[in-house]
Amino acid sequence: MKLTTEAKQEIFEKYSQSKSKADTGSAEAQIALFSTRIADLTEHLKIHKKDYGTRLGLLKLVGKRRRLLNYLAKNDIERYRAIIGELGIRK
């Protein structure tokens, strides 16, 4: 399921560091976007168990999100804890 532009802007506005729609590059905004896409792909894979192309895309997204979370944990632990709490991601 493709996210609409409006849905992406809402995610960026809610989770970005500067709380603006234009802040698409902050780690928090990217992590939130990846988390939304991961949730959508997970629901898709529950129905279509043999969709291996989607499974590969899901694993790549999880890896990207993990690398961004590692970056945040290393550089700014407070921002890391905040985004983990907001999104309900556990490590």
Side-chain angles (χ1 to χ4, degrees):
M1 179 176 165
K2 185 174 170 142
L3 287 173
T4 62
T5 305
E6 293 82 20
K8 285 182 185 179
Q9 286 179 348
E10 286 177 20
I11 290 169
F12 293 142
E13 189 173 10
K14 184 175 180 184
Y15 293 106
S16 70
Q17 190 175 9
S18 66
K19 302 294 182 194
S20 72
K21 293 179 183 177
D23 184 17
T24 60
S26 70
E28 291 92 342
Q30 291 182 35
I31 290 167
L33 181 65
F34 289 156
S35 296
T36 305
R37 291 178 60 197
I38 287 169
D40 289 343
L41 290 177
T42 303
E43 290 302 315
H44 172 80
L45 284 172
K46 285 180 182 176
I47 299 167
H48 307 283
K49 296 184 187 328
K50 294 188 178 184
D51 189 353
Y52 298 113
T54 300
R55 186 176 308 276
L56 177 64
L58 174 66
L59 291 175
K60 286 183 178 185
L61 276 177
V62 170
K64 281 183 182 182
R65 183 178 72 177
R66 180 79 260 156
R67 285 192 298 275
L68 277 171
L69 286 168
N70 288 342
Y71 165 80
L72 265 185
K74 186 171 65 173
N75 291 323
D76 193 348
I77 193 70
E78 293 305 318
R79 284 172 55 196
Y80 171 78
R81 289 181 181 146
I83 195 70
I84 289 292
E86 285 181 37
L87 294 174
I89 301 172
R90 60 178 176 81
K91 181 170 181 177

